[in-house]
Amino acid sequence: QDGLAPSEGDPRFHQQMVFAVAMKTIRAFERALGRTVLWSPRRLEQKRKSDAAEPRDEVYQPVDRLRIYPHALREPNAYYSPEKKALLFGYFRSSAQDTGASWVFTALSHDVIAHETTHAILDGLHRRYAEATSVDSLAFHEAFADIVALMSHFTLGEAVYHAISKSGGRLDARTLMSGLAGQFGAATGRAGPLREAVDAKTGGVPDPTLLLSLTEPHERGAVLVSAVFDAFLTIYRRRTADLLRIADIRPDTGAPRDLHPDLASRLTKEAAKSADHVLRMCIRALDYLPPVDVRFGEFLRAIVTADADLVPDDPYGYRLAMVEAFRCRGILPTDCLSLAVDSLLWEPPDDGLTIDDIPGLNLNPAFVRDRAADKPSPLVRAQVAERAEANRDAVAQWLRHSDGNAEKWQKACGVIFNMKLFDGKAPQTVLRWPGRNRGRPDTTPAVEVHQVRTTRRAGPDGQDIRQLVIEITQRRRGFFDRDSQAEQDRDAKGPARDEDFVFRGGATLIFDLLNGKLRYVIRKRINDDARLEEQRDFLCVRQRLGTLGITYGGGAGHSGEPFAMVHRGV
């Protein structure tokens, strides 16, 4: 509106395009999450004073703005830079005749912009997701960014109308709606789009065994994207079945029929509404994931739990559609008795823990135990970040100096606050605070607080969900040699060795702000030796992944630009 006319030859329009799509993506996240999006903080290598609330060598500075460079690279690439806190878009000369242009600008691709913006937002939510801990962790970032870009197709009304009219109401064929970055794919020598959501490797038929053979991040992530797209198609078919019956149209048999413009318009609206619901389900699930070492099966549980919290009734079977789509592709949680929806829900803790145990929190009064406060005072992004940082320091101070029921919290979170209170023998490889106990032996484990954020979401039937989400993680030294691991784990007095890789545990705590109770703890225990063994095995053979796996890092010398090489030419 009131902007420059679309023009590939005008660099100013390139700026306008990339800004508009990035802002639309950010707004989609903020509407689904129920809060302002914050960017991943910048790490500063300096030391705090000894009496600081959270003494540590790594100090983080909030980032107010995400920078965008529409013409940063003269190459077929675009990526999010965690070091620069910026989106870098490339441009390159195309030799392919079917691209429609001699030069291809990735800053003009709706899919590429939404994909890279999602990387930045996801890094702000879960900064440890770009670390190599498993084949799923490598693929999740790519898959989730593709899901956002794919579902964003259905906000483009004219394109959706054209696809539905041409296909007789079907959306399950390979079309512009199911492909990502078509021009980029053609310009880099592919026969079609950069990636495809309709089970491209198996001819459109889900294969529950395919995931076992895939290790490359984009290929493995494509299975997750296909599952979400399949769930969207199921939901779309359920929402439009009555319209097609009234029109006496059966899209699953015979050649596609011409649709009346009014019917095509109605189907377009239902497609857009279905895609919007699926996208919000996926985005809301981000708050219900563990802060480290994410797995595809956990993403399914997070989708189901987050949706059940906000929308108890499921008349169109959205959650069942998700479960079935994941099951058909072999994406299964490892710790559930069945794939029934109620079995997939995260289990609430039974320790009676409440938010009142954490002193010093500065929460917006409109969020806390006050249903009448429906108009919280508006805050700009910098004020939101300032409040979040103050609350993060308050939680960090509580974790370090907590007593009383600290043992219950320690057990619930799966991390170690106090070695003496830990149930069982604590591994001595857990990172300690760097010698700032005022002359006393340093035995206090270090715990990192990533996020303390408030959310408020409204359901379709007037549901009012107000939550506080806290993310904490802990670091442990990992060794490729099992004997060295055992020796370092049990010996607190011997010489400490530099780790071969970093092993992390942590928990996402979700509080209900209307009653103050701890609603969920989604954790990865720091003393989980079975998971440590899995990560060791994965890292020992990661050369099978080639540079795409290695560039994500995961050891002491991990790359600061994990997405640069992953996106180059892919």
Side-chain angles (χ1 to χ4, degrees):
Q1 295 129 355
D2 299 324
L4 297 168
S7 172
E8 292 189 33
D10 187 347
R12 296 175 304 164
F13 175 72
H14 299 184
Q15 297 172 343
Q16 176 179 294
M17 172 75 177
V18 74
F19 175 78
V21 177
M23 287 303 301
K24 186 174 76 168
T25 305
I26 292 168
R27 288 195 184 102
F29 272 82
E30 291 184 337
R31 186 178 65 151
L33 293 173
R35 64 175 181 277
T36 303
V37 163
L38 298 178
W39 311 114
S40 176
R42 182 174 287 107
R43 188 177 67 180
L44 303 178
E45 296 294 342
Q46 63 183 40
K47 296 181 181 294
R48 286 189 175 185
K49 297 179 180 179
S50 60
D51 58 349
E54 187 183 3
R56 60 184 185 269
D57 284 335
E58 295 182 352
V59 180
Y60 293 95
Q61 179 186 60
V63 173
D64 293 335
R65 294 179 181 174
L66 178 73
R67 292 184 290 169
I68 302 177
Y69 297 91
H71 310 107
L73 314 163
R74 189 169 176 175
E75 62 178 77
N77 196 8
Y79 64 91
Y80 160 65
S81 169
E83 291 293 318
K84 297 180 177 66
K85 309 300 177 186
L87 305 182
L88 309 179
F89 293 92
Y91 60 99
F92 59 99
R93 184 182 292 275
S94 172
S95 58
Q97 297 298 316
D98 55 351
T99 60
S102 58
W103 286 86
V104 174
F105 295 89
T106 60
L108 293 179
S109 170
H110 185 282
D111 295 343
V112 173
I113 299 168
H115 180 102
E116 303 308 333
T117 306
T118 299
H119 276 310
I121 296 172
L122 186 54
D123 190 48
L125 290 170
H126 298 289
R127 74 180 72 152
R128 300 301 183 193
Y129 276 14
E131 295 181 348
T133 56
S134 72
V135 286
D136 278 0
S137 68
L138 296 179
F140 183 78
H141 242 287
E142 295 303 319
F144 194 86
D146 278 352
I147 288 169
V148 174
L150 186 65
M151 292 296 105
S152 297
H153 285 181
F154 296 90
T155 63
L156 308 175
E158 291 183 4
V160 180
Y161 180 91
H162 174 75
I164 286 178
S165 299
K166 188 176 180 181
S167 65
R170 298 182 60 174
L171 288 173
D172 54 354
R174 297 182 66 175
T175 65
L176 288 174
M177 292 293 100
S178 64
L180 290 171
Q183 186 188 48
F184 187 97
T188 52
R190 293 166 175 81
L194 183 62
R195 285 188 286 282
E196 178 65 49
V198 185
D199 291 301
K201 280 187 171 291
T202 57
V205 179
D207 180 0
T209 66
L210 178 62
L211 202 64
L212 300 175
S213 62
L214 298 177
T215 56
E216 196 277 325
H218 293 95
E219 291 182 349
R220 190 173 180 86
V223 179
L224 181 60
V225 176
S226 296
V228 173
F229 191 69
D230 190 9
F232 155 72
L233 292 176
T234 300
I235 294 166
Y236 166 74
R237 285 192 290 264
R238 290 174 182 172
R239 293 185 66 94
T240 58
D242 56 342
L243 295 174
L244 296 176
R245 281 196 302 269
I246 292 172
D248 194 24
I249 294 175
R250 298 183 62 185
D252 56 338
T253 59
R257 284 176 48 182
D258 292 335
L259 300 181
H260 189 281
D262 290 345
L263 177 59
S265 179
R266 280 292 311 277
L267 294 176
T268 298
K269 291 179 181 179
E270 292 300 329
K273 187 177 293 185
S274 300
D276 182 61
H277 284 317
V278 170
L279 179 58
R280 280 190 283 171
M281 287 175 71
C282 293
I283 293 176
R284 287 196 301 262
L286 295 176
D287 278 348
Y288 288 72
L289 288 172
V292 296
D293 192 27
V294 66
R295 309 294 177 92
F296 287 178
E298 293 165 345
F299 183 49
L300 174 60
R301 296 193 68 180
I303 291 174
V304 171
T305 307
D307 193 65
D309 269 1
L310 188 64
V311 189
D313 296 325
D314 188 18
Y316 287 106
Y318 287 12
R319 297 192 281 274
L320 287 174
M322 280 287 183
V323 172
E324 181 62 16
F326 276 62
R327 184 194 65 79
C328 289
R329 289 159 182 82
I331 304 175
L332 309 174
T334 58
D335 52 353
C336 292
L337 294 177
S338 74
L339 287 180
V341 170
D342 56 349
S343 179
L344 291 171
L345 299 174
W346 292 119
E347 298 177 358
D350 55 1
D351 295 327
L353 302 174
T354 70
I355 196 175
D356 296 329
D357 294 334
I358 308 175
L361 288 175
N362 177 20
L363 303 177
N364 189 332
F367 282 91
V368 184
R369 305 178 190 181
D370 183 7
R371 290 185 178 274
D374 290 329
K375 294 183 179 180
S377 57
L379 297 175
V380 298
R381 197 175 305 273
Q383 292 174 315
V384 173
E386 182 179 359
R387 175 175 286 174
E389 181 67 12
N391 285 330
R392 197 183 65 81
D393 281 341
V395 173
Q397 185 172 0
W398 165 69
L399 288 174
R400 188 169 189 199
H401 302 291
S402 61
D403 50 15
N405 60 353
E407 189 171 3
K408 284 187 176 182
W409 280 105
Q410 191 166 248
K411 181 179 178 182
C413 296
V415 298
I416 302 172
F417 306 159
N418 187 310
M419 287 290 188
K420 296 179 181 179
L421 293 177
F422 193 71
D423 184 18
K425 188 171 180 60
Q428 301 299 319
T429 48
V430 172
L431 187 68
R432 313 297 178 87
W433 293 116
R436 298 179 184 173
N437 282 359
R438 306 192 181 197
R440 292 176 294 176
D442 191 1
T443 60
T444 307
V447 180
E448 185 179 47
V449 181
H450 284 189
Q451 301 272 356
V452 180
R453 50 190 185 259
T454 53
T455 69
R456 183 177 182 182
R457 305 182 183 116
D461 297 322
Q463 297 90 343
D464 185 13
I465 304 296
R466 309 182 193 187
Q467 295 175 331
L468 176 72
V469 183
I470 298 176
E471 267 189 17
I472 60 175
T473 65
Q474 192 164 55
R475 175 174 168 173
R476 179 179 169 187
R477 291 180 292 129
F479 299 90
F480 292 135
D481 182 72
R482 292 172 177 80
D483 293 336
S484 297
Q485 184 76 58
E487 178 185 352
Q488 293 290 316
D489 278 341
R490 66 173 177 263
D491 190 0
K493 298 180 181 179
R497 284 179 45 193
D498 290 338
E499 69 268 17
D500 296 322
F501 62 93
V502 173
F503 178 75
R504 299 188 193 275
T508 299
L509 312 177
I510 302 178
F511 293 89
D512 185 341
L513 287 178
L514 294 178
N515 59 27
K517 294 181 179 180
L518 180 62
R519 179 97 169 118
Y520 300 107
V521 179
I522 303 106
R523 59 179 169 253
K524 291 292 182 75
R525 294 190 179 276
I526 192 66
N527 64 330
D528 187 345
D529 290 330
R531 190 167 62 86
L532 174 64
E533 182 74 11
E534 290 177 6
Q535 182 171 334
R536 178 188 295 115
D537 291 343
F538 167 71
L539 294 174
C540 284
V541 298
R542 69 178 179 174
Q543 60 268 22
R544 296 179 189 172
L545 299 178
T547 56
L548 290 179
I550 295 172
T551 51
Y552 271 84
H558 67 274
S559 168
E561 296 292 357
F563 304 104
M565 287 297 296
V566 170
H567 285 186
R568 181 162 291 151
V570 177

